[in-house]
Amino acid sequence: MALTIPCGKYTVEHARLTDSTFHDVCLGNTEFDDVNLSGARFHNINMSNVVLDDINLSNTKITCANYTGMTIDGILVTDLLKAYQQKS
């Protein structure tokens, strides 16, 4: 049975939401801690001003992204991509 959660502020702990679908959902200013997103797919997502810390990004693919101002360990991603392209 499908469940629709009404708008509001929620705390979810020790939950398994595997194979769930989120469509047209605002999670702005939300905190995620100790969350497993392995195998998740994100499409048409606004992640501006997001901070990712202590993240496992192994085998992650990012395509069709706007990297303006994005840094990895303090280095602009656009600069990293330029350096890579110049070296290739």
Side-chain angles (χ1 to χ4, degrees), residues 21 35-36 41 49:
T21 301
V35 175
N36 181 352
R41 181 181 174 275
N49 299 307

Side-chain angles (χ1 to χ4, degrees), residues 3-23:
L3 172 66
T4 300
I5 300 171
C7 294
K9 187 175 180 179
Y10 296 91
T11 298
V12 179
E13 294 182 353
H14 314 294
R16 292 190 185 272
L17 300 176
T18 305
D19 296 322
S20 294
T21 301
F22 297 87
H23 177 75

